[in-house]
Every structure is written in C-alpha cells, then in structure tokens.
Amino acid sequence: MNKMSVKDLKDLKGKKVLVRCDFNVPMKDGKITDENRIMGALPTIKYLLDAGAKVTLCSHMGKPHSIFSKEFKLNKKDQKKVDAGETTAEEIKAKALKDEPVKLTLAPVAKRRSALKEGEAVLIENLRFHWEEEKKDEAFCKALAYDAEIYVNDAFGTAHRSHASTAAIVEYGIIKTAVCGFLIEKELSVMADTLENPARPFVAILGGAKVADKLNVINNLLEKCDTLIIGGGMAYTFLKAKGYEVGTSLLDEEKIDYCKEMMAKAKAAGKELLLPVDTVVTSCFPDPIDGEVDAVTVDSDKIPADKMGMDIGEKTRALYASRIQNAKAVIWNGPMGVFENPTLAKGTIAVAQALADVYGKCTTIIGGGDSAAAVQQLGFADKVTHISTGGGASLELFEGKTLPGIACLNDKE
Ligand code: AMP
C-alpha cells in the first residue's frame, strides 16, 4: 500500500482530526443486525483517542435522500420506540469508547467540536441528511472540515463513492494531511495484495443476481485467477451462451454475447471457467421469499421450459468445493442461489462451508454484501481470512478500479 495511514502520523496529541467512518450498519426494527462495520472502525478511533487527538467522527446512514428523518438518524437515542443501547451511536459509544472518559454526542455544531478536549470524540449526525454530501458542495466540505488539521478515511464501505466526506474535502485542498485508517489499510492489504500477487491456484467465485452488474469484475478476475466459478442468477446467461435452454430462469439476453466472449477468453488463456452442472429449479420465484418451494434438481442442460433455476445442485456443490479445497487463495462475492430461502440456500452454504474447511491452508476473502452476511449467519466468520466491510467497494477493487476515497489520500513518502 503506497498510501499513508494513521500510523505514519507523528504527535497526534491535541490534533483535531476528522474521521470518515462507515457506520452504515444494517438495521431491523431499530436494532443493528450486523455490527461488523462498527467493530471495524474501533481500532482507528481508539488509536487516535489514546494518542490524545480531538476526534470528530462522521458517517452516512442509509439513503435518506437529503431529507432528515428519524429512521436514518445515527443517534436514535431520542426515538422512544427504540431501546436505549440498541442505537447506532449508543453502540459505537459502548463498543468503541467503552468506559473511557469520552463524550460522544451529536455535534453538527462547531461549538461542540471547538470544546473537544484531548482524547474526546464527537459524532456528527448522518451526512446524507444534506444534499451537499453527495454533490460534493465546497461550502459543505469547509463546514465539515471546520478546524480539522487531519483527515482520516476509514470508511472502506464508502471508499468507492466520490462524495464530500469521502474525497472532495481533500481534493479541494481543504484538509491537506489525509491518511487512511486501520480498517482501510487492512482491507487493502488483504484484498489488493491478493489480487495483485495471489498464491496459486487462485479461485474467484462470483454469484448474485445479474451478469450486467459484474461485467468488469468477470473480465478483470478472469485475467487474475486460475479458476473462475460462476453461480447464482448470473449463471443462466452463461448457460444460455453455452447453448443450453434455461427455462424461466433469470436471463440477461443482451449479455449472452458477452458471456460467450468471456468463455472464449478463458479458453484462450487456459483458465478454467466453471458453470453449474446441475441446478435446483422451482416453478416460480418464492413469495414470500422464504416461503415453501417445489424444488427439484436437474442437470443444467435439462432445465424444463417452465422451471426457474434457483440454486446450484449437489454435483455442482461438490465440484466447486473440490476447487476450493485445492486453492491457495479464494475470493468470493455473491450468493450461489436465492439464499434467503432455506431450501435454496444450500449452494451458498456449501461454498461457505468449503471455505471454512480450508481455513489456515488458504487465503479466503469474502467480498462483503450477501456472501459476508451468509458466512456470518452460518457462524463461519472466524474461519475465513477476511470479510470485507464493503460489498460495492470490494467489487470495484475486483474490477481493478482505483477507489476515489483512497486515491485522494497522501502517498507514502
Ligand atoms: P447481488 O446483489 O447481485 O449480489 O444478488 C444477490 C441476490 O441474487 C440475492 O437476493 C439472491 O436471492 C439473488 N439470486 C441468487 N441466485 C438467484 C437465482 N438463481 N435467481 C434469481 N435470483 C437469484
């Protein structure tokens, strides 16, 4: 990594530091369902506080579309329906700042920030209540920076966005000293290093709904990996490109030629591109999504005209697991099927299990999003090398893109 990190900064005592975190945690009924991002932000926050910095934390939460609403507040303390202790700000306070003498308050106002003492932190309310955040408004950047001397970006989950708090505040020259936090450093050191210089065999596993969402990812990973494994809804466009009928499965007609091109590219480069050899099919998409289904397994070249492919079959699970078993590095993004339904989650579970089985022998990286949630729900979180806190950001890394939230940071001297 050629970007400076908080570790490279000398003498933080009394320094005013603005830290962009990603506290955009999934919530259900006012409760946090996955606190990975909060936990990931803690090392940087603690480091800065221990060093005596005056810390202002900021983050976005959800998509409030520039309108203030209680639902998207980071601090829901005053929301009667939500139990104290279950709110984002309370959670951060409890986890990050434990019993330390730290003030954690809502502080969009300069007064609070100017009153900060060494080793104290404040949290600014959801940045996306302001349209200026996503539009990179310069006056907003200046207000956000206020009197901060140092900018720390630790919001990996938002590093692929070019917004006021993620990039513009530095790009406009408002804060000159700009470094990454420990979370971004860790995410990059594991993911970028593996992509650049993987141990081999290097296996990439891609799933999820649509091919169209992952065109550049497929193309870039094909160049880097030895085996590319395809599952999920996107597999059917590939199967169609292979000449198979796919019934009523998810199909992206416009991308059939692209899939042909990728298969030819793999062949020419001597890479293995694996598609499901058997498929779990149903008559229709489950409604509700976790409702009952009439699932049967068929070979992938025999999908009936009135059936829909919903998951990889048993033979495919074994095939994919065998490639994982022999791998020295694996990256995975996207479920193998409609994993929200217990009957159709077996393929996704099998991949998660196969990754857990090679723990310690192979670098295993989960690129955030649904696959990260699946690994966590299955209790395999401590049986993989790395679970990214950013689905979109890691996909852009897999595409070979430079993320704006990282590009703007100071280079190492
Ligand atoms: P993505 O956001 O692209 O990672 O896609 C995740 C979504 O893909 C999940 O909600 C899955 O239910 C869905 N998905 C996975 N496999 C299939 C499939 N065979 N047909 C339809 N949707 C699928």
Side-chain angles (χ1 to χ4, degrees), residues 19 22 39 57 61 92 131 136 138 264 268 290 307 312 318 352 359 366 375 386 391 398 407-408:
V19 188
D22 188 350
M39 302 312 283
L57 306 169
M61 172 70 163
I92 299 159
W131 64 264
K136 302 168 74 162
E138 192 163 352
D290 57 353
K307 297 276 187 188
I312 56 173
Y359 182 60
I366 319 296
V375 167
H386 182 68
F398 295 174
C408 71

Side-chain angles (χ1 to χ4, degrees), residues 196-311:
E196 271 161 38
N197 193 16
R200 296 189 183 274
F202 175 32
V203 175
I205 310 167
L206 287 178
K210 294 194 226 123
V211 176
D213 294 343
K214 294 189 178 144
L215 296 179
N216 297 328
V217 182
I218 298 168
N219 190 31
N220 190 45
L221 288 182
L222 253 187
E223 282 164 21
K224 313 236 178 242
C225 71
D226 302 296
T227 297
L228 178 63
I229 289 180
I230 305 277
M234 59 194 283
Y236 305 101
T237 307
F238 275 94
L239 290 173
K240 183 82 179 173
K242 221 178 152 188
Y244 296 176
E245 289 309 322
V246 295
T248 56
S249 308
L250 208 58
L251 178 67
D252 196 343
E253 297 268 3
E254 283 174 18
K255 299 294 174 247
I256 295 173
D257 284 344
Y258 179 83
C259 292
K260 284 184 184 162
E261 201 187 305
M262 289 300 110
M263 291 194 287
K265 181 173 173 159
K267 198 168 173 202
K271 310 267 169 114
E272 191 179 34
L273 195 158
L274 289 182
L275 300 175
V277 291
D278 60 349
T279 298
V280 178
V281 296
T282 61
S283 300
C284 55
F285 200 88
D287 183 21
I289 197 153
D290 57 353
E292 246 178 68
V293 281
D294 57 344
V296 287
T297 304
V298 296
D299 284 344
S300 294
D301 59 351
K302 295 194 183 60
I303 298 178
D306 60 345
K307 297 276 187 188
M308 201 176 259
M310 286 289 168
D311 193 12

Side-chain angles (χ1 to χ4, degrees), residues 324 350-360 364 375 379-384:
I324 294 169
V351 167
Q353 179 71 59
L355 291 177
D357 290 345
V358 295
Y359 182 60
T364 48
V375 167
F380 293 149
D382 55 357
K383 293 225 155 35
V384 289

Side-chain angles (χ1 to χ4, degrees), residues 40-347:
L42 304 191
T44 298
I45 300 172
K46 279 181 160 292
Y47 180 84
L48 290 168
L49 295 177
D50 287 347
K54 300 176 178 180
V55 178
T56 301
L57 306 169
C58 61
S59 173
H60 76 284
M61 172 70 163
K63 292 187 177 144
H65 301 293
S66 312
I67 298 164
F68 177 88
S69 71
K70 283 189 171 175
E71 185 194 346
F72 292 110
K73 279 181 74 176
L74 276 170
N75 186 344
K76 296 193 174 67
K77 229 174 12 186
D78 55 347
Q79 210 175 315
K80 290 200 177 67
K81 281 186 193 149
V82 180
D83 299 333
E86 300 286 359
T87 65
T88 312
E90 286 296 296
E91 193 91 348
I92 299 159
K93 188 175 180 176
K95 298 270 161 46
L97 313 171
K98 286 242 162 57
D99 303 323
E100 289 162 36
V102 160
K103 273 190 208 139
L104 184 73
T105 38
L106 278 184
V109 279
K111 217 169 101 185
R112 279 270 167 72
R113 293 173 71 178
S114 59
L116 273 177
K117 297 198 178 70
E118 288 175 9
E120 285 187 351
V122 293
L123 171 68
I124 294 178
E125 190 44 276
N126 191 349
L127 295 166
R128 287 198 193 158
F129 285 155
H130 308 271
W131 64 264
E132 295 93 334
E133 162 67 359
E134 285 173 80
K135 296 276 182 244
K136 302 168 74 162
D137 179 76
E138 192 163 352
F140 179 76
C141 289
K142 285 185 178 148
L144 183 61
Y146 183 52
D147 58 357
E149 301 145 278
I150 297 169
Y151 168 80
V152 178
N153 191 1
D154 212 17
F156 181 75
T158 330
H160 58 311
R161 306 276 179 226
S162 180
H163 292 161
S165 68
T166 60
I169 203 163
V170 186
E171 287 165 1
Y172 296 156
I174 298 166
I175 307 181
K176 302 236 165 11
T177 304
V179 303
C180 69
F182 294 119
L183 178 61
I184 285 197
E185 192 175 34
K186 182 174 156 222
E187 295 266 13
L188 288 183
S189 75
V190 183
M191 290 200 282
D193 287 359
T194 297
L195 286 168
E196 271 161 38
N197 193 16
R200 296 189 183 274
F202 175 32
V203 175
I205 310 167
L206 287 178
K210 294 194 226 123
V211 176
D213 294 343
K214 294 189 178 144
L215 296 179
N216 297 328
V217 182
I218 298 168
N219 190 31
N220 190 45
L221 288 182
L222 253 187
E223 282 164 21
K224 313 236 178 242
C225 71
D226 302 296
T227 297
L228 178 63
I229 289 180
I230 305 277
M234 59 194 283
Y236 305 101
T237 307
F238 275 94
L239 290 173
K240 183 82 179 173
K242 221 178 152 188
Y244 296 176
E245 289 309 322
V246 295
T248 56
S249 308
L250 208 58
L251 178 67
D252 196 343
E253 297 268 3
E254 283 174 18
K255 299 294 174 247
I256 295 173
D257 284 344
Y258 179 83
C259 292
K260 284 184 184 162
E261 201 187 305
M262 289 300 110
M263 291 194 287
K265 181 173 173 159
K267 198 168 173 202
K271 310 267 169 114
E272 191 179 34
L273 195 158
L274 289 182
L275 300 175
V277 291
D278 60 349
T279 298
V280 178
V281 296
T282 61
S283 300
C284 55
F285 200 88
D287 183 21
I289 197 153
D290 57 353
E292 246 178 68
V293 281
D294 57 344
V296 287
T297 304
V298 296
D299 284 344
S300 294
D301 59 351
K302 295 194 183 60
I303 298 178
D306 60 345
K307 297 276 187 188
M308 201 176 259
M310 286 289 168
D311 193 12
I312 56 173
E314 214 175 317
K315 284 188 265 182
T316 310
R317 284 174 232 153
L319 173 69
Y320 290 2
S322 73
R323 292 304 184 276
I324 294 169
Q325 245 152 38
N326 292 327
K328 286 280 176 291
V330 181
I331 58 171
W332 178 27
N333 186 294
M336 296 290 101
V338 181
F339 75 106
E340 296 92 337
N341 187 298
T343 311
L344 308 171
K346 290 180 185 142

